[in-house]
Amino acid sequence: MPKRLLAPSTVLYPVPLVIVACGTRERPNLLAVNRIASVAAEPPQLAMALRPGRHSVGLIRAGGEFTVNLPTPALLPAIHLIGTTTGRETDKLAQSGLTLAPASQVKPPIVAQCPVNIECRLTHTIDLRSHLLFIAEVVAVHAEESALNERGEIDYRLARPLVYEAAIVRERPKD
Ligand SMILES: Cc1cc2nc3c(=O)[nH]c(=O)nc-3n(C[C@H](O)[C@H](O)[C@H](O)COP(=O)(O)O)c2cc1C
C-alpha cells in the first residue's frame, strides 16, 4: 500500500480524554484534557500538557496539585462544556451537572461520576513553547467497585472510560 507523507503532528492513537480538576474544594475549576500520558512507574507519574493561557494553568502552578478523572461516554456533554468555556468567566461546575467529592491527599476535588480518579502532585514544569508540560506524581487512586476485577485491580473493560474517538484528531485551534 503506498504511503503519503504528511505534515509533522502528534498522531498517536488511541488518545485519552480526561476531566482535570484543579483549584480547591471551595473554588474548583474543571477542564477537558487529551494531551496526557503515563510516563513513569516508581513512583507513578503522569505528564499533562496545557496551553499557557488556560485559567487552570495558574491554579495548578499556584496549588501544585490536580486530579485526573476518567469519564464515561455519558459525560460527553459535560466534557464539551468544560472544554470550551473558561473558569475565568463561567461557573463550570454549576453548568456541567458534574458532582465533586473530596480527594484524600490533595486539595482539588475528584469528580464523583467518573469511575476512576487519580490524585496528582506536581513535581516538574517544562516549557515546550505551545504547551507547558506538567509532570506529577500519583499520590492516590480511587476506583468504583464495579471497575475492579477479582484481584482488586482496575479492569478497563469494566470501567469503560471514554477514549477520544474523533474521526480526525487535529491540533485544536490556538487560543
Ligand atoms: C476534547 C478536548 C480536549 C482538550 N485537550 C486539551 C489539552 O490537552 N490541553 C489543553 O491545554 N487544553 C485542552 N482542551 C481545551 C481546554 O479544556 C479548554 O481550553 C478549557 O476551556 C480551559 O479551561 P480553563 O480556561 O478554565 O482552564 C481540550 C478541550 C477538549 C474539548
Side-chain angles (χ1 to χ4, degrees):
M1 177 72 79
K3 298 228 166 101
R4 211 190 298 173
L5 199 56
L6 304 177
S9 69
T10 58
V11 292
L12 288 178
Y13 181 86
V15 178
L17 179 49
V18 303
I19 297 176
V20 169
C22 49
T24 60
R25 181 90 169 94
E26 297 71 36
R27 299 199 60 177
N29 192 45
L30 302 168
L31 81 162
V33 171
N34 60 22
R35 291 190 190 277
I36 185 160
S38 156
V39 292
E42 289 101 21
Q45 290 163 81
L46 298 179
M48 166 177 83
L50 298 187
R51 288 194 182 272
R54 309 285 187 235
H55 179 54
S56 302
V57 163
L59 298 176
I60 292 170
R61 295 196 100 159
E65 296 175 337
F66 57 92
T67 69
V68 175
N69 304 273
L70 308 195
T72 57
L75 299 181
L76 258 180
I79 290 170
H80 182 258
L81 180 105
I82 64 169
T84 55
T85 55
T86 175
R88 280 190 197 96
E89 297 156 3
T90 310
D91 180 353
K92 298 193 208 185
L93 183 60
Q95 292 189 23
S96 67
L98 293 170
T99 312
L100 302 181
S104 68
Q105 306 291 320
V106 300
K107 288 197 180 71
I110 59 174
V111 178
Q113 288 99 328
C114 292
V116 177
N117 319 91
I118 308 165
E119 300 186 26
C120 298
R121 193 162 287 137
L122 189 62
T123 56
H124 303 80
T125 303
I126 301 171
D127 186 348
L128 302 177
R129 298 213 307 217
S130 72
H131 288 68
L132 286 169
L133 185 69
F134 292 124
I135 299 179
E137 186 173 332
V138 174
V139 293
V141 174
H142 308 242
E144 279 178 8
E145 290 285 345
S146 61
L148 300 176
N149 65 18
E150 62 285 355
R151 291 188 301 277
E153 303 154 337
I154 296 172
D155 183 334
Y156 287 107
R157 289 165 303 182
L158 301 171
R160 303 201 66 83
L162 185 64
V163 173
Y164 193 22
E165 286 282 7
I168 303 171
V169 180
R170 290 199 191 89
E171 275 288 307
R172 291 179 48 75
K174 297 175 179 59
D175 54 38

